[in-house]
């Protein structure tokens, strides 16, 4: 990695660390937040909520839960209601125009999406909050041309004081949408499996001062460095039917990923640390094998456990652009219409 890229990355990491430590127990107490049962009315609707939940974060969580449950024509309005008028929405895995800005652009985007998958629905699972930053994990379901599909997603947002989203990024695997429609669509991680006995040592916690080294490992396509630091942590990731528990299996997965891409340029995004887990966001561009142009791309790593639910190391990203170019993806969307 060049010195210029690393210098820029160091600044980005510093900005992330500043942002992710704006709220803690002392600040929560001073502002009168409930430190043990914040947003109590939302908790029965999701698997867990971790971190210091401010009133603004609680307002967002309740709006998000409502959108996931609404099935009437009010769905577009319920979605737009979550966003501030000048908000931005970044869509990973696009070769052009990955950033939407403003209420009208976001309204058009959700209207188009719901037009393609009108019965789309989701329920919140693990939610992590740190000040204005929220990682909202969800279990999504939809019927796509008669095929029932379900998939995990992470909605990463930054909030205004009134709980409106000012910056949003969405992470999920569209490969699950289109594989039933096109059986010839390559399965990038087919055949990746564990080998040998599981490594039972546990080192799932990442400290803030490790972020620069981890960013360097992603951009240097260094599977060994990424796996070595999390030895013993089971890996859940797109394209897997279960978890990988051996070093051999996890290395095979990441090496398959890096064999399919080049020119990886991922910057640190938002970091959210709560009791039991750390969420790391990486976003930027990469060049899929056999394609001419880089695509926007992002990964959410969750390291550790939240809500008493196991899964020490989880990756969330969209594998579709790794195996399909923009023309192919356009053709796949045409099948939905």
């Amino acid at each position: 990695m060049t010195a210029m890229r690393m210098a820029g990355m160091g600044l980005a990491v510093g900005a992330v660390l500043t942002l992710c430590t704006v709220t803690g127990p002392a600040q929560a107490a001073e502002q009168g937040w409930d430190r043990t049962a914040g947003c109590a009315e939302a908790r029965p609707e999701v698997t867990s909520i971790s971190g210091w939940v401010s009133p603004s974060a609680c307002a967002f969580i309740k709006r998000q839960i409502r959108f996931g449950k609404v099935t009437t024509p009010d769905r577009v309005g319920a979605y737009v209601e979550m966003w501030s008028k000048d908000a931005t929405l970044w869509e990973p895995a696009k070769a052009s125009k990955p950033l939407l800005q403003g209420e009208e652009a976001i309204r058009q985007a959700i209207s188009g999406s719901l037009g393609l998958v009108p019965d789309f629905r989701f329920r919140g699972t693990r939610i992590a909050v740190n000040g204005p930053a929220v990682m909202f994990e969800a279990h999504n379901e939809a019927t796509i041309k008669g095929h029932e599909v379900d998939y995990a997603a992470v909605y990463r947002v930054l909030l205004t004081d009134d709980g409106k989203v000012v910056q949003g990024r969405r992470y999920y695997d569209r490969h699950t949408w289109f594989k039933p429609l096109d059986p010839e669509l390559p399965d990038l991680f087919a055949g990746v499996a564990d080998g040998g006995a599981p490594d039972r040592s546990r080192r799932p916690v990442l400290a803030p001062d490790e972020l620069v080294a981890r960013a360097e490992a992603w951009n240097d396509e260094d599977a060994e460095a990424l796996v070595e630091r999390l030895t013993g942590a089971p890996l859940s990731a797109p394209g897997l039917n279960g978890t990988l528990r051996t070093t051999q299996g996890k290395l095979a997965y990441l090496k398959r990923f890096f064999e399919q891409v080049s020119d990886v340029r991922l910057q640190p995004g938002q970091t959210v640390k709560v009791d039991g887990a750390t969420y790391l966001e990486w976003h930027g561009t990469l060049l899929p094998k056999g394609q001419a142009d880089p695509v926007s791309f992002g990964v959410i790593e969750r390291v550790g456990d939240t809500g008493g639910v196991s899964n020490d190391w989880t990756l969330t990203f969209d594998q579709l652009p790794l195996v399909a170019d923009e023309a192919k993806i356009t053709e796949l969307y045409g099948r939905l219409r």
Side-chain angles (χ1 to χ4, degrees), residues 10-282:
L11 291 173
V13 171
V16 167
L17 294 181
T18 299
L19 182 56
C20 78
T21 57
V22 295
T23 305
Q27 292 92 331
E30 289 172 4
Q31 297 182 40
W33 302 347
D34 188 335
R35 296 183 296 171
T36 59
C39 210
E41 61 271 41
R43 290 178 183 265
E45 304 281 350
V46 300
T47 302
S48 66
I49 302 177
S50 303
W52 305 101
V53 185
S54 67
S56 62
C58 182
F60 161 74
I61 290 169
K62 290 190 289 186
R63 290 179 187 129
Q64 180 86 326
I65 290 172
R66 176 174 177 265
F67 169 67
K69 297 167 72 174
V70 170
T71 57
T72 68
D74 295 336
R75 300 187 80 193
V76 171
Y79 186 80
V80 174
E81 181 186 357
M82 293 190 291
W83 298 80
S84 67
K85 292 188 180 301
D86 58 349
T88 60
L89 170 59
W90 185 73
E91 290 276 46
K94 289 192 175 182
S96 60
K97 298 182 179 178
L99 187 68
L100 299 174
Q101 184 159 19
E103 183 179 283
E104 186 54 33
I106 291 171
R107 180 187 299 276
Q108 290 178 10
I110 190 62
S111 296
S113 295
L114 292 177
L116 296 174
V117 283
D119 73 337
F120 168 75
R121 57 208 176 274
F122 70 85
R123 58 177 173 79
T125 54
R126 293 187 253 208
I127 301 170
V129 184
N130 192 311
V134 179
M135 297 282 185
F136 190 110
E137 294 191 59
H139 176 82
N140 293 1
E141 298 177 339
T143 305
I144 299 188
K145 291 294 184 179
H147 299 276
E148 296 292 330
V149 299
D150 61 87
Y151 55 98
V154 180
Y155 303 109
R156 169 273 201 218
V157 300
L158 293 179
L159 303 174
T160 62
D161 289 343
D162 60 356
K164 295 294 185 78
V165 178
V166 69
Q167 185 189 77
R169 295 181 181 142
R170 302 191 296 205
Y171 297 85
Y172 54 90
D173 185 14
R174 291 177 297 164
H175 189 275
T176 58
W177 293 13
F178 295 113
K179 182 64 176 179
L181 305 185
D182 185 354
E184 299 302 316
L185 195 63
D187 290 308
L188 179 57
F189 301 104
V192 173
D194 278 323
D199 187 334
R200 302 192 183 282
S201 62
R202 293 295 178 110
R203 291 190 291 168
V205 178
L206 290 174
D209 60 3
E210 296 181 78
L211 292 183
V212 171
R214 195 149 190 87
E216 183 176 359
W218 277 107
N219 285 281
D220 285 347
E221 304 171 24
D222 190 343
E224 285 81 3
L226 291 169
V227 170
E228 191 278 334
R229 181 57 188 86
L230 298 178
T231 299
L235 173 64
S236 301
L240 296 176
N241 292 323
T243 57
L244 296 173
R245 296 180 175 273
T246 66
T247 296
Q248 177 181 326
K250 288 178 281 187
L251 281 174
Y253 183 90
L254 285 176
K255 287 181 177 180
R256 184 77 60 84
F257 175 88
F258 288 128
E259 286 169 0
Q260 189 67 13
V261 302
S262 61
D263 197 24
V264 179
R265 296 176 178 268
L266 300 180
Q267 292 286 333
Q270 186 64 48
T271 299
V272 171
K273 185 172 178 59
V274 295
D275 289 345
T278 300
Y279 289 76
L280 307 173
E281 178 189 35
W282 313 104

